[in-house]
Amino acid sequence: MIKELKDRYQHIFEEALLEEINQVGTYREIPEGFKLMEIGNYIKSMPLLVSGVVKILREDENGDELLLYFLEQGDTCAMTLTCCMGQTKSEIRAISETDTKLIMVPVHKMEEWMAKYHSWRKFILQSYHERLNDMFETVDSIAFLKMDERLLKYLKDKARVTNDHTIYSTHQQIAYELHTSRVVVSRLLKKLENMGQVELFRNHIKLLDA
């Protein structure tokens, strides 16, 4: 695990902190589509992403989902941090968007490292800032963009984080994550195809206007 830690975090954390993470952390490799975190569960550890992509979702009272943001390699999740520090139940769902490698850090180490390591404190505060900006972007998208613009932004974001202009998501899955209906997504995808921005296939969508 120390190699993965150094490859991804050596430019961020000092050597002593890397050694501590290596001692107490748990290295995991998880497949695409794996549920890392569920709404209502208590969180006992915090993920550090070594590679891959994880999507963070919220759920309304009817059980409908909304995509909040993606986590990429080198990231951690501010919502996880908040729940860990406050010992409260998770308010988000985390699902691996791609095959993912991560290191799980025990909750009890987080506060200790905040006081002990400047690099950890800086990393945590920067993570809060980045996730807050992601949340603002999601709110702005819902408030100010038309649904076809939101859909195109969603496809571009997904292509960016996966480094692949081919999106392997069903119309229903996209509808869940954008908190709309499959019929609306299918209609707007057809509109985007007619505009030359996407190409639709049976099991995937190719983004042309990347």
Side-chain angles (χ1 to χ4, degrees):
M1 185 171 75
I2 190 65
K3 182 182 183 301
E4 287 80 5
L5 265 172
K6 289 186 175 181
D7 286 347
R8 184 53 53 198
Y9 293 99
Q10 192 168 33
H11 67 290
I12 301 175
F13 300 146
E14 53 261 77
E15 192 69 26
L17 176 54
L18 290 172
E19 290 295 338
E20 282 209 50
I21 296 173
N22 185 55
Q23 290 171 13
V24 303
T26 303
Y27 178 75
R28 296 181 63 187
E29 295 186 10
I30 58 175
E32 175 185 342
F34 184 84
K35 190 180 293 183
L36 283 162
M37 193 181 305
E38 182 56 287
I39 296 167
N41 290 351
Y42 284 101
I43 300 169
K44 298 180 180 180
S45 56
M46 184 199 78
L48 296 174
L49 263 71
V50 175
S51 67
V53 179
V54 173
K55 59 185 175 185
I56 305 299
L57 305 140
R58 278 277 284 167
E59 185 179 89
D60 68 12
E61 58 186 13
N62 297 318
D64 295 324
E65 292 180 331
L66 173 67
L67 175 68
L68 296 181
Y69 49 79
F70 291 105
L71 297 178
E72 303 172 64
Q73 59 185 20
D75 285 343
T76 190
C77 181
M79 298 293 286
T80 303
L81 298 173
T82 302
C83 294
C84 285
M85 301 296 274
Q87 297 184 339
T88 58
K89 293 181 180 180
S90 172
E91 297 181 358
I92 54 97
R93 177 175 294 128
I95 300 174
S96 53
E97 179 71 17
T98 64
D99 291 345
T100 301
K101 298 177 182 179
L102 48 81
I103 297 168
M104 303 303 293
V105 177
V107 174
H108 69 272
K109 283 291 180 180
M110 293 177 56
E111 286 189 77
E112 176 187 328
W113 291 346
M114 285 286 282
K116 188 175 181 180
Y117 295 110
H118 171 75
S119 64
W120 179 260
R121 185 165 61 252
K122 182 179 178 181
F123 173 70
I124 294 300
L125 293 175
Q126 181 66 28
S127 297
Y128 270 116
H129 176 70
E130 290 174 357
R131 299 293 81 78
L132 187 60
N133 283 342
D134 288 338
M135 295 280 284
F136 283 152
E137 190 173 324
T138 299
V139 171
D140 287 347
S141 175
I142 295 170
F144 304 123
L145 296 183
K146 297 177 182 177
M147 183 54 73
D148 57 343
E149 295 172 322
R150 283 184 62 202
L151 175 57
L152 186 58
K153 180 181 181 301
Y154 166 89
L155 296 174
K156 288 182 176 181
D157 286 347
K158 202 155 195 175
R160 177 183 58 78
V161 298
T162 60
N163 198 29
D164 190 349
H165 290 174
T166 300
I167 291 95
Y168 296 94
S169 296
T170 66
H171 294 191
Q172 185 62 70
Q173 287 171 329
I174 295 172
Y176 279 140
E177 294 183 5
L178 291 180
H179 208 279
T180 186
S181 71
R182 183 193 59 77
V183 173
V184 169
V185 168
S186 297
R187 175 173 56 81
L188 292 178
L189 282 172
K190 192 63 182 176
K191 176 184 174 183
L192 291 175
E193 184 176 48
N194 292 336
M195 294 169 64
Q197 293 181 305
V198 301
E199 191 173 357
L200 303 180
F201 298 89
R202 182 175 178 83
N203 297 313
H204 63 275
I205 301 163
K206 185 175 182 181
L207 183 62
L208 303 177
D209 182 30

